[in-house]
Amino acid sequence: MLARFSTQAVRRNTAALVQARRGISVQSLLHGSPEAKQEGDVQIQQHSRLVARGKYVHGVEVHKVKPSEVKEYKKAAEAYYTAIKEDPDLHVKLTGSWEAVVGEQDTFYHILEYENYSGYDKTTRKIRSSEHINTYGKLIPYLTSRSQQLCQEFAFFPTVPPRTAGGIFELRTYQLHPGTLLQWEHAWRKGIEARRKFVAPVGAWFSQVGRLHQVHHMWQYPDLQTRKETREKAWQLDGWSETVSKTAEYSMLMDAIVLEPLPFSPLK
């Protein structure tokens, strides 16, 4: 009887130990140790500080509009965005406003530049307590959806000031694998010089609030044919093919949206 009891006890203890080890193993694989998780959180914060310019926060606002209401939406959007960019009491500048012509149709992009997060907080508070909120409310009935991200500029890729160069804009968006932001920045820092030889970049941003692990960069061309020729020239330079290869390695999804600036856009 004693031997039987001892054997059963050993089996139970062994099973419990195996289960505990299995739980620890699975937890470690999925989440890492508490120390590793804390270190990973710190690394993410450090990566943002390493790659960011740190001077501004950019709000990327995307409005999807009812197809039958595009004309009226444009009027309402011009009234709102022109009013806030001309208000000296707000800590915000309008980088640009565009309509998608290749990509999701009836979609509009507005990029706002705030004086860091404190500027964003002050601006949004003032808008909510001013006539601007009523002006904004007038464009809401024309929308089917809206979204917003808060992003920071890459240090090597600052946003250009207002200009009128004509043509089209291309907004490229990458959904990165979590944890690859620093590698993406390193690859593009090396490869960007190949592109600069043929076209000046408009800007590049990475998300910090909203949809995370996203990178955006924007280019301006006279037309789509020039875009094609410019990209072909870049392939002939050392470093660019490696940048493209690394971009694909670090990305889960990629989008290339062709935009036309709205008449009131500072960048056009």
Side-chain angles (χ1 to χ4, degrees):
M1 178 67 70
L2 181 60
R4 186 182 305 166
F5 175 80
S6 300
T7 301
Q8 291 174 347
V10 168
R11 287 175 179 172
R12 284 198 300 269
N13 290 339
T14 301
L17 181 60
V18 170
Q19 185 65 30
R21 286 178 175 172
R22 182 179 299 167
I24 292 171
S25 177
V26 172
Q27 183 179 11
S28 299
L29 285 171
L30 291 178
H31 307 293
S33 67
E35 293 81 4
K37 183 180 185 301
Q38 181 179 4
E39 182 180 350
D41 291 341
V42 171
Q43 285 179 346
I44 290 172
Q45 295 171 9
Q46 290 175 340
H47 289 180
S48 294
R49 286 196 293 269
L50 284 171
V51 304
R53 187 181 180 198
K55 189 175 182 181
Y56 302 108
V57 167
H58 285 79
V60 180
E61 300 182 1
V62 182
H63 293 168
K64 296 185 179 181
V65 179
K66 299 173 184 176
S68 60
E69 303 288 0
V70 166
K71 184 176 180 180
E72 295 304 315
Y73 166 81
K74 288 181 179 179
K75 294 178 183 177
E78 180 171 6
Y80 172 70
Y81 288 104
T82 299
I84 64 170
K85 78 181 179 68
E86 294 178 352
D87 188 337
D89 293 330
L90 299 181
H91 300 259
V92 64
K93 296 177 182 177
L94 179 64
T95 298
S97 293
W98 298 268
E99 177 181 6
V101 293
V102 179
E104 290 196 43
Q105 302 295 285
D106 309 311
T107 303
F108 294 79
Y109 295 80
H110 307 277
I111 300 180
L112 298 164
E113 181 181 275
Y114 301 95
E115 297 171 8
N116 224 306
Y117 284 104
S118 61
Y120 174 82
D121 291 336
K122 293 174 184 177
T123 297
T124 52
R125 280 197 297 265
K126 287 185 177 181
I127 286 176
R128 292 189 187 113
S129 61
S130 70
E131 182 60 28
H132 295 309
I133 194 65
N134 296 324
T135 307
Y136 183 78
K138 293 179 181 179
L139 61 79
I140 296 297
Y142 307 127
L143 305 181
T144 60
S145 69
R146 53 185 171 144
S147 64
Q148 183 184 31
Q149 274 183 328
L150 295 181
C151 304
Q152 289 225 359
E153 297 172 297
F154 283 99
F156 72 96
F157 217 150
T159 309
V160 300
R163 69 185 187 190
T164 302
I168 60 171
F169 290 76
E170 179 183 14
L171 179 66
R172 298 186 70 91
T173 297
Y174 302 85
Q175 185 68 48
L176 301 184
H177 293 284
T180 61
L181 176 64
L182 193 59
Q183 293 96 315
W184 191 96
E185 187 270 353
H186 180 68
W188 270 83
R189 183 184 288 274
K190 290 174 59 179
I192 192 64
E193 296 307 317
R195 292 295 300 273
R196 287 187 196 274
K197 295 180 184 297
F198 307 110
V199 59
V202 174
W205 311 269
F206 63 94
S207 62
Q208 289 200 309
V209 182
R211 176 64 61 84
L212 299 179
H213 309 298
Q214 270 196 348
V215 168
H216 311 280
H217 55 84
M218 183 177 282
W219 305 83
Q220 187 173 12
Y221 304 96
D223 49 43
L224 283 173
Q225 180 62 30
T226 303
R227 171 188 176 274
K228 174 180 179 294
E229 294 169 357
T230 300
R231 291 172 61 82
E232 289 173 350
K233 291 176 183 177
W235 277 100
Q236 300 172 17
L237 298 182
D238 291 339
W240 181 242
S241 61
E242 181 181 358
T243 298
V244 174
S245 176
K246 291 295 185 182
T247 298
E249 178 183 342
Y250 302 142
S251 302
M252 293 187 288
L253 294 171
M254 293 181 267
D255 289 289
I257 310 298
V258 178
L259 308 169
E260 287 184 352
L262 297 177
F264 60 91
S265 176
L267 274 175
K268 55 189 173 186

